DNA sequence: CACACAATGAACCGCATGGTTCATTGCGAC
DNA sequence: GTCGCAATGAACCATGCGGTTCATTGTGTG
């Protein structure tokens, strides 16, 4: 026997370090972009793996299967967006100004988080079944609605706002306008021209959305 | 030789009648439902074929490939919806009432055409590339915007409306509210409860949307 | 009828894709 | 050190899926 390894038929298997959390986070990061880009059935595990520092093997090791990976991506995205909404401090402003800020922020925030918007679009295409399967995503922990409620309460107390404005319904209207702006940009601009999607158009739109929403609650 | 056919190795190939237009229409009908249900990559040609009176073979014969079939489905859907919008007769109404009717109609119309909404969502997921490839879908032939323009002109002339309301931008707001109502129902109702999706909730929402839009243009 | 061409049926094909197997390596506990 | 389990790599697999081939049948035209 020589001092060399007995067998040279053993293929070279590179060495590696263990860092499960980083690997999982890396996979989630890449998967999120891919799912947002191509949808659940359109995304390719292969493609996700290649953009990762790890392998296809590990995706299934940590996330079981494609649907589960998608669900975890969705959950993470919801959590992050909620986190972002919490950052707003509106308590010190008078109700009208607070509402103005909230709407303007939502408009800008949605624009800046296109991936999240697209994930929500995709989930709606799937009729929300993966959201249902998720334990962590539930009502009540939506900072946006809570802040809105607080503003409405103060505004109504000061008789600046109409009485009996429903926070949930108002939130729905704000969401609709801000969400649609991002979600339907491609088809809308192709059918009607992209005037509203230029920088100037978006500024005008944001102002219009703010005015429309604020106008709808003023006494 | 007997009087029977010389060869019984020839497999039985059932007889058939020719009716290309009906076959094409049948394929489009089924394909539309399937694409609306599962998206472009999610839909299965196989599945479409099985729900058709014809075969997979004929789908490729008439429509070349999956993407082209999808594009034709999209075009047909746009044409039909525009046709539906034309039916509205608002010229005889005073501007405020005409706008009210237009918004209420749009709200109801979108609700009633979920397949179309879903196709548009899907096309937005694909960033509108198939709409771009389509010759037949272009701005200008949108009856909804033309009607809206006419109403605005009359309303402004009578000094009922603010001056300088942009028809396109107003149409955008109406679309946003009515589209979102259908498109985001699954995720919205799962996160915030489905109060707004009940019959009563939808009635309240429709009224709210009408009031919000009309309120935003009144002088 | 004969011919040309459109319409159709049945079987087939290549390959991309989600998922698995099996053996190997890292590393903390004792 | 060594034992045990978590983490990993490489190759593999079954099959679903978009698309095609080839031969056959319908039908209008002369």
């Amino acid at each position: 026997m020589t001092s060399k390894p007995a067998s040279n038929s053993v293929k070279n298997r590179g060495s590696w370090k263990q860092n499960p959390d980083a690997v999982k986070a890396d996979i989630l990061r890449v998967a999120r972009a891919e799912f947002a880009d191509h949808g659940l059935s359109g995304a390719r595990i292969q493609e996700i793996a290649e953009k990762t520092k790890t392998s296809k093997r590990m995706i299934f090791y940590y996330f079981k299967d494609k649907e589960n990976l998608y669900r975890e991506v969705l959950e993470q995205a919801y959590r992050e967006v909620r986190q972002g909404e919490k950052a707003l401090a509106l308590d010190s402003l008078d109700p009208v100004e607070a509402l103005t800020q909230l709407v303007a922020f939502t408009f800008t925030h949605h624009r800046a988080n296109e991936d999240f918007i697209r994930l929500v679009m995709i989930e709606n295409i799937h009729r929300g079944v993966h959201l249902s399967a998720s334990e962590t995503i539930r009502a009540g922990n939506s900072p946006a609605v809570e802040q809105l409620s607080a503003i409405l309460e103060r505004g109504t107390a000061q008789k600046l706002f109409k009485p009996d404005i429903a926070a949930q319904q108002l939130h729905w209207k704000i969401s609709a306008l801000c969400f649609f702006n991002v979600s339907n940009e491609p088809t809308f601009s192709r059918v009607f021209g992209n005037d509203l999607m230029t920088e100037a158009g978006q500024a005008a739109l944001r102002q219009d959305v703010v005015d429309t929403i604020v106008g709808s609650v003023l006494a």
Side-chain angles (χ1 to χ4, degrees), chain A:
Chain A
M1 300 299 188
T2 74
S3 59
K4 288 176 184 174
S7 165
N8 51 15
S9 71
V10 173
K11 287 165 187 166
N12 178 23
R13 299 185 170 223
S15 66
W16 42 277
K17 285 180 184 173
Q18 289 188 184
N19 195 350
D21 288 349
V23 169
K24 275 192 264 192
D26 190 32
I27 293 173
L28 277 176
R29 191 192 100 251
V30 175
R32 178 170 173 169
E34 287 296 303
F35 281 129
D37 241 38
H38 311 291
L40 173 49
S41 49
R44 301 283 163 243
I45 297 276
Q46 178 84 322
E47 188 73 13
I48 294 173
E50 278 165 17
K51 292 181 178 171
T52 293
K53 287 175 200 139
T54 180
S55 64
K56 198 170 87 167
R57 171 69 177 74
M58 299 312 291
I59 295 176
F60 291 104
Y61 182 68
Y62 284 124
F63 297 95
K64 180 178 175 172
D65 61 21
K66 198 187 191 187
E67 280 206 26
N68 200 58
L69 173 60
Y70 168 77
R71 218 193 57 221
E72 295 209 25
V73 163
L74 198 61
E75 287 180 15
Q76 193 203 44
Y78 265 90
R79 275 197 302 272
E80 281 183 23
V81 163
R82 278 179 185 155
Q83 215 58 23
E85 284 169 349
K86 267 194 219 163
L88 261 188
L90 302 169
D91 294 343
S92 57
L93 302 174
D94 72 279
V96 174
E97 183 59 21
L99 182 57
T100 298
Q101 293 295 322
L102 177 65
V103 175
F105 168 81
T106 304
F107 188 94
T108 306
H109 191 243
H110 278 51
R111 254 266 91 95
N113 289 275
E114 197 180 314
D115 271 9
F116 174 70
I117 301 287
R118 292 176 59 86
L119 284 174
V120 174
M121 292 166 73
I122 289 161
E123 182 56 10
N124 275 304
I125 289 291
H126 291 285
R127 298 199 161 83
V129 289
H130 309 92
L131 212 52
S132 291
S134 168
E135 298 297 322
T136 58
I137 303 172
R138 281 290 172 269
N141 29 345
S142 169
V145 180
E146 282 168 21
Q147 286 177 316
L148 189 55
S149 272
I151 295 169
L152 283 176
E153 237 169 85
R154 287 191 291 133
T156 309
Q158 294 179 233
K159 298 200 192 298
L160 291 166
F161 295 166
K162 291 175 193 163
D164 300 324
I165 296 276
Q168 194 201 31
Q169 197 162 326
L170 183 59
H171 174 69
W172 180 95
K173 284 193 289 183
I174 298 169
S175 290
L177 294 165
C178 297
F179 192 98
F180 181 90
N181 182 47
V182 181
S183 68
N184 285 51
E185 170 178 345
T187 57
F188 194 92
S189 67
R190 267 168 184 84
V191 175
F192 302 104
N194 74 329
D195 310 7
L196 298 178
M197 309 305 162
T198 63
E199 202 171 328
Q202 286 285 291
L205 224 42
R206 190 179 67 230
Q207 190 58 52
D208 191 4
V209 167
V210 168
D211 291 346
T212 301
I213 293 295
V214 173
S216 78
V217 303
L218 286 181

